[in-house]
Amino acid sequence: MENKAHAIAAGLFLLLLGLALAASVAWFQGDRTERVHYTVVARSGVPGLNLKAPVKLRGVEVGYVDSIGFDPADPRQILVDIAVDAAAPVSASTFAQLGLQGVTGLSFIGLEEADAKAPLTRAAPGARIALKPTLLDRLAESGPLLLAGFAETADRLNALLSEGNRAQLNRSLVQLEQAAGDTSRLMAALQPGARELPVFLKDADATAQRASAALREIEALAADSRQLTQELKTRVAVLDRLDGAAVQLQTTTRNLELALVGDTPPRTRPLVADLSAASRSIERAARDVGEQPQSLLFGRSGQPPGPGEAGFDARLKAGGSK
């Protein structure tokens, strides 16, 4: 009986010890963190997402997936209930995306801020968070369009690289090569001229300077010519007045001669003759100046040589040649 009593006592002790160990493990593994629940709304699928999958906010794990199911109000939507640490800064502008956990194919929910610089406004408990497609999801959705575009591009390339177009392209390349050779020869021919171009430009500059100086001299000569013309006009006006005076003097002298021819005393006749000669001299001088007004500035030109004078024969030859 004593042996049975000891066996029963040992069995009870082991049972109690096992229960105590199980309670300790349950105590230490229990989650006593305060959680806030949010609902992630997915319009597309959630492949690889399981219960207890981690929830990360900007890469930091802050919770887990509590449940996954279809929306009773709209079966095309999937509702994912997540439990997040109450201290996690989940704002009203937070959105969710699916991420991959390594190479296992399992997914997790990543929470991101739409505007990280905006003031933080915490989301209310139970708020809905939109699940946005990732880059891979967008590529998968646009895959058929990309394939159709690639196929169309391939068809156009095949049409572009037809036999006729390839022959035309070969001819164009040959012509381009010929044009490049012609250009090289032209450049080689232009090099000597290009080397002489600085000297030519220097000569052109010097010529331009000389032309400018010549223009200034021409302007000075034109000014002198205008001044000389004005002086000649003044002198011609004076000569005109002198000619008029000489004509008036000659007329007066002739009238005087006619008046005195009958009863002029002999001793006054020489005076009248002198007056007549003087008037004729004045008239001749006025006529010469009128014919050659430049003689007032440059002097009278010499009379051409007459017969027997030096230069007469040369003048005759010159006149004959003309």
Side-chain angles (χ1 to χ4, degrees), residues 12-48:
L12 291 175
F13 176 77
L14 291 176
L15 180 60
L16 292 175
L17 182 60
L19 291 176
L21 289 175
S24 299
V25 170
W27 173 264
F28 286 111
Q29 288 185 351
D31 187 5
R32 293 181 301 276
T33 305
E34 183 180 358
R35 302 284 182 181
V36 178
H37 288 263
Y38 299 100
T39 301
V40 176
V41 181
R43 298 292 298 181
S44 58
V46 286

Side-chain angles (χ1 to χ4, degrees), residues 194-253:
R195 287 193 293 268
E196 295 178 359
L197 185 60
V199 179
F200 174 74
L201 292 177
K202 187 181 295 183
D203 294 342
D205 189 13
T207 303
Q209 293 178 359
R210 289 195 294 270
S212 178
L215 288 176
R216 288 194 296 270
E217 293 178 359
I218 290 174
E219 291 177 355
L221 289 176
D224 295 342
S225 176
R226 287 192 295 270
Q227 183 178 1
L228 179 61
T229 303
Q230 187 64 31
E231 293 178 357
L232 287 176
K233 288 181 180 179
T234 304
R235 293 176 184 272
V236 168
V238 172
L239 290 176
D240 289 340
R241 290 195 297 272
L242 181 61
D243 189 14
V247 171
Q248 185 177 3
L249 178 61
Q250 185 178 9
T251 303
T252 303
T253 303

Side-chain angles (χ1 to χ4, degrees), residues 84-227:
V84 180
D85 187 355
V90 179
S91 67
S93 62
T94 300
F95 64 92
Q97 283 184 325
L98 289 181
L100 295 177
Q101 301 184 58
V103 295
T104 60
L106 299 178
S107 301
F108 68 91
I109 292 181
L111 302 178
E112 299 291 340
E113 294 288 339
D115 188 2
K117 296 182 180 179
L120 179 62
T121 303
R122 288 185 175 274
R128 291 195 169 191
I129 299 175
L131 181 68
K132 293 185 178 181
T134 61
L135 178 60
L136 293 177
D137 295 335
R138 292 195 294 269
L139 290 176
E141 291 177 358
S142 59
L145 296 177
L146 291 176
L147 291 177
F150 288 148
E152 184 178 359
T153 302
D155 293 338
R156 292 182 178 181
L157 285 176
N158 291 330
L160 181 63
L161 297 177
S162 62
E163 293 295 335
N165 290 339
R166 284 200 297 270
Q168 181 64 33
L169 181 60
N170 290 333
R171 289 193 296 270
S172 299
L173 291 176
V174 171
Q175 293 175 359
L176 181 61
E177 184 179 1
Q178 292 176 355
D182 295 339
T183 303
S184 300
R185 288 191 293 271
L186 179 60
M187 293 300 296
L190 290 177
Q191 284 181 359
R195 287 193 293 268
E196 295 178 359
L197 185 60
V199 179
F200 174 74
L201 292 177
K202 187 181 295 183
D203 294 342
D205 189 13
T207 303
Q209 293 178 359
R210 289 195 294 270
S212 178
L215 288 176
R216 288 194 296 270
E217 293 178 359
I218 290 174
E219 291 177 355
L221 289 176
D224 295 342
S225 176
R226 287 192 295 270
Q227 183 178 1

